[in-house]
Amino acid sequence: MTALPAPVQALLVIDVQSAFVTGKNAVPDAPRLLDRVTDLVAGAREAGALVVHLQNDGPAGAPDEPHTPGWELHLPVRPCPAESVIRKEEDDGFEDTSLEDELTAAGVRAVAVCGMLSEMCVLATARRALELDFRVVLPHDAHATYDIPAAPGISEPVPAAMASRVAEWALGDAVEIVARAEDVVFTNTGTA
């Protein structure tokens, strides 16, 4: 974990969709995660930073199948130039989307990343942001995943918190991991 990070110009809210935070498919401790993500969104809005909600289009029959209740974004999106929704079909939020163009057009060079799932979409999007030379801040308490079931003959179950920490570790030294979402500071992009 690093010291308090320098301000960031954008918040990427990854796959905070109803299927993953409510009901039988909710990640463990979803209410805590929602509190942290809600605080991040509020902080970004207040500072005039760009807020991009990524929305996963899951396959037919998946909890996040497009246009089903589980697919809907759980947090409200403000209709303004500084807030947008980008749909995606891959773990990496940059792949086959307008995310890089949107960040570049707004002059963003530093992003905070939150949401789910830690070892899938959060990891893939943060890694790609690093590869594209964005500075990436990842608040430890603002991303989550599921418990990983046991794999007979391979491993015991892996608790969700441990899987999330491993995802952070897999990003290496280039990512700035902070303990708490409240430690992320946003700055204005001029798009508000």
Side-chain angles (χ1 to χ4, degrees):
M1 310 253 177
T2 64
L4 295 183
V8 297
Q9 302 140 322
L11 175 64
L12 307 182
V13 182
I14 301 176
D15 303 345
V16 179
Q17 294 167 247
S18 292
F20 306 129
V21 293
T22 62
K24 66 179 182 165
N25 292 315
V27 295
D29 207 8
R32 179 202 53 82
L33 174 74
L34 285 172
D35 285 345
R36 300 312 177 273
V37 173
T38 299
D39 290 347
L40 284 167
V41 171
R45 286 173 175 162
E46 182 177 324
L50 185 67
V51 178
V52 180
H53 301 264
L54 294 166
Q55 184 176 29
N56 195 65
D57 288 347
D64 60 347
E65 178 183 349
H67 310 294
T68 64
W71 172 79
E72 297 296 330
L73 292 173
H74 188 74
L75 300 175
V77 177
R78 283 193 181 166
C80 68
E83 196 156 340
S84 65
V85 176
I86 295 177
R87 292 174 60 182
K88 65 183 187 61
E89 295 181 359
E90 304 296 332
D91 288 353
D92 174 0
F94 290 91
E95 190 167 333
D96 298 325
T97 73
S98 62
L99 181 56
E100 182 180 7
D101 292 338
E102 189 168 326
L103 295 174
T104 302
V108 171
R109 293 307 319 146
V111 300
V113 177
C114 65
M116 46 207 113
L117 298 168
S118 300
E119 80 286 9
M120 296 173 71
C121 299
V122 170
L123 173 65
T125 302
R127 178 173 284 139
R128 182 70 173 279
L130 291 167
E131 290 169 359
L132 293 170
D133 292 323
F134 289 96
R135 201 178 115 244
V136 177
V137 173
L138 181 61
H140 174 74
D141 63 352
H143 65 94
T145 193
Y146 296 104
D147 294 329
I148 298 173
I154 297 173
S155 74
E156 296 298 316
V158 178
M162 189 176 294
S164 290
R165 181 64 186 116
V166 169
E168 294 171 350
W169 183 257
L171 287 166
D173 295 338
V175 69
E176 296 174 42
I177 301 169
V178 295
R180 301 175 317 222
E182 66 189 44
D183 294 333
V184 177
V185 178
F186 294 96
T187 188
N188 191 308
T189 60
T191 57

